[in-house]
């Protein structure tokens, strides 16, 4: 039987560049705005709108806008691929494999996850399957699956699955290491460390454990100035965002809960996950129901509710556009 959605689908594809496989999603707005504080409308316009720019992924993650090449990169963690999206050509395979390069077949989250650019403009990749943080040994505009591992273990114990990363202006790289890339999670026989860690890769290559007390460390970002860092905890028992100040050596001090999302997890799907912080110190954090917007003092200003699980987000250079990895889809949101 031909339904109204069957004949409307081609029209929606033309309008959005893609269409979700879910009829339920197609019948709902991609995003809705929830203003909690008047400041919200200064950050997210009341006329903000979203379009689906790519679809058909198993689990999209690791969004990165690359201003120099006007391209948006993101990972499909389960397909072991980094994709590229441009306005001119849409979705293209950028790098495959992106994480796991072994010859023994395996399942789970075997590809890349978080992506970023170091001070040299090189692509730095959290490789879930390879259990390492690596640099792509090729120019950004001529990608090749050649990697230089810059962190693969701490004191001889392999990482579980580096997930997301943040950069200090001095060249240090901070990253989270949850168990999600291991096929059996925390019960995987290949797990070597008895904790989940947040680490620093110093510019001299030294690996430093910053904390082993966050149960499921995930998204990570610095506030402007690089003196405070925010970390998401994707744990149903402790769905918190944590903040830490940095001492003169770049180590964590004054750890505290930035915001507790426990109540929201009872009424909306999702956990604190990926996040970004803009130049003004406003936080865009994926969490239960969509993207939570905070000021730097942890005041919740509002939410961009997404009709699917949002995993992470990235801002354009002018911070007027946000790219969101959302389960099987990627969204472009015009904030203002």
């Amino acid at each position: 039987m031909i339904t109204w959605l069957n004949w409307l689908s081609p029209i929606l594809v033309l309008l959005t560049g893609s269409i979700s496989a879910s009829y339920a999603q197609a019948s709902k707005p991609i995003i809705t705005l929830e203003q909690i504080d008047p400041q919200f409308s200064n950050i997210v316009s009341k006329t903000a709108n979203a379009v689906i720019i790519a679809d058909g992924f198993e689990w999209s993650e690791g969004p990165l806008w690359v201003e120099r090449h006007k391209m948006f990169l993101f990972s499909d963690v389960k397909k072991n691929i980094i994709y590229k999206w441009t306005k001119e050509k849409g979705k293209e395979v950028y790098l495959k494999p992106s994480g796991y390069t072994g010859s023994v077949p395996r399942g789970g989250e075997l590809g890349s996850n978080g992506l970023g650019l170091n001070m040299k403009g090189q692509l730095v990749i959290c490789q879930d399957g390879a259990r390492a943080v690596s640099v792509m040994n090729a120019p950004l505009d001529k990608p090749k699956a050649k990697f230089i591992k810059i962190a693969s273990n701490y004191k001889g114990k392999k990482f579980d699955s580096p997930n997301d990363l943040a950069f200090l202006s001095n060249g240090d790289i901070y990253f989270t290491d949850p168990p999600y890339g291991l096929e059996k999670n925390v019960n995987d026989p290949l797990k070597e460390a008895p904790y989940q860690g947040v680490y620093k890769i110093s510019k001299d290559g030294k690996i430093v454990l910053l904390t082993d007390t966050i149960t499921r460390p995930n998204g990570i970002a610095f506030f402007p100035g690089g003196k405070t860092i925010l970390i998401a905890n994707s744990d149903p028992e402790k769905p918190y965002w944590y903040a830490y100040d940095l001492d003169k050596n770049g180590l964590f001090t004054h750890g505290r809960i930035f915001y507790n999302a426990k109540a929201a997890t009872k009424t909306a799907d999702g956990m604190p996950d990926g996040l970004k912080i803009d130049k003004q110190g406003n936080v865009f954090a994926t969490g239960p129901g969509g993207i939570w917007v905070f000021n730097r003092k942890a005041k919740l200003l509002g939410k961009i509710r997404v009709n699917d699980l949002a995993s992470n987000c990235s801002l354009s250079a002018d911070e007027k556009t946000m790219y969101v990895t959302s389960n099987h889809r990627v969204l472009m949101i015009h904030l203002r």
Side-chain angles (χ1 to χ4, degrees), residues 64-308:
L64 173 67
W65 173 255
V66 183
E67 177 66 13
R68 180 181 174 186
H69 296 284
K70 303 296 182 186
M71 65 180 178
F72 172 60
L73 302 179
F74 58 98
S75 303
D76 190 327
V77 185
K78 295 184 178 181
K79 286 186 177 179
N80 205 7
I81 298 173
I82 292 175
Y83 286 95
K84 175 179 75 171
W85 178 89
T86 59
K87 183 178 180 180
E88 295 76 20
K89 296 185 177 181
K91 178 184 73 173
E92 301 174 88
V93 171
Y94 178 79
L95 190 66
K96 181 181 181 179
S98 64
Y100 183 64
T101 58
S103 58
V104 179
R106 56 153 292 183
E109 298 182 356
L110 71 165
S112 59
N113 202 312
L115 307 174
L117 300 178
N118 64 15
M119 294 182 69
K120 296 180 180 179
Q122 298 170 300
L123 183 64
V124 183
I125 306 171
C126 287
Q127 296 181 304
D128 278 9
R131 303 171 70 174
V133 179
S134 299
V135 173
M136 182 179 73
N137 191 22
L140 285 175
D141 58 348
K142 297 179 180 179
K144 294 181 181 180
K146 294 183 178 180
F147 309 107
I148 300 172
K149 291 183 179 180
I150 58 175
S152 59
N153 70 87
Y154 176 68
K155 293 185 176 180
K157 293 186 181 297
K158 288 184 179 180
F159 298 126
D160 286 358
S161 52
N163 184 279
D164 206 354
L165 67 174
F167 300 79
L168 267 184
S169 59
N170 69 352
D172 291 349
I173 301 173
Y174 290 63
F175 70 94
T176 56
D177 186 38
Y180 301 127
L182 298 175
E183 289 186 89
K184 296 182 180 179
N185 210 291
V186 292
N187 297 316
D188 198 291
L190 297 179
K191 181 175 172 58
E192 297 188 8
Y195 56 82
Q196 306 309 140
V198 179
Y199 299 89
K200 178 179 77 165
I201 308 170
S202 298
K203 53 184 176 290
D204 61 5
K206 182 181 179 181
I207 312 297
V208 179
L209 175 63
L210 300 166
T211 180
D212 60 3
T213 62
I214 301 179
T215 51
R216 295 292 183 274
N218 202 316
I220 184 170
F222 283 104
F223 282 95
K227 295 182 178 180
T228 302
I229 197 166
L230 191 64
I231 301 171
N233 191 38
S234 300
D235 183 346
E237 298 302 316
K238 297 179 179 180
Y240 310 150
W241 288 278
Y242 291 98
Y244 293 86
D245 295 331
L246 270 61
D247 67 14
K248 63 180 182 179
N249 297 312
L251 304 181
F252 287 178
T253 183
H254 188 212
R256 67 269 189 195
I257 294 175
F258 181 82
Y259 200 91
N260 182 344
K262 184 72 171 180
T265 63
K266 298 177 181 179
T267 58
D269 294 332
M271 288 286 137
D273 201 330
L275 57 95
K276 294 296 181 292
I277 301 176
D278 71 14
K279 297 170 186 175
Q280 305 304 314
N282 300 305
V283 178
F284 297 85
T286 58
I291 301 164
W292 298 42
V293 181
F294 304 94
N295 67 14
R296 65 185 309 152
K297 295 183 179 180
K299 184 175 184 180
L300 181 59
L301 306 179
K303 299 177 184 179
I304 304 172
R305 294 195 173 275
V306 180
N307 73 347
D308 201 354

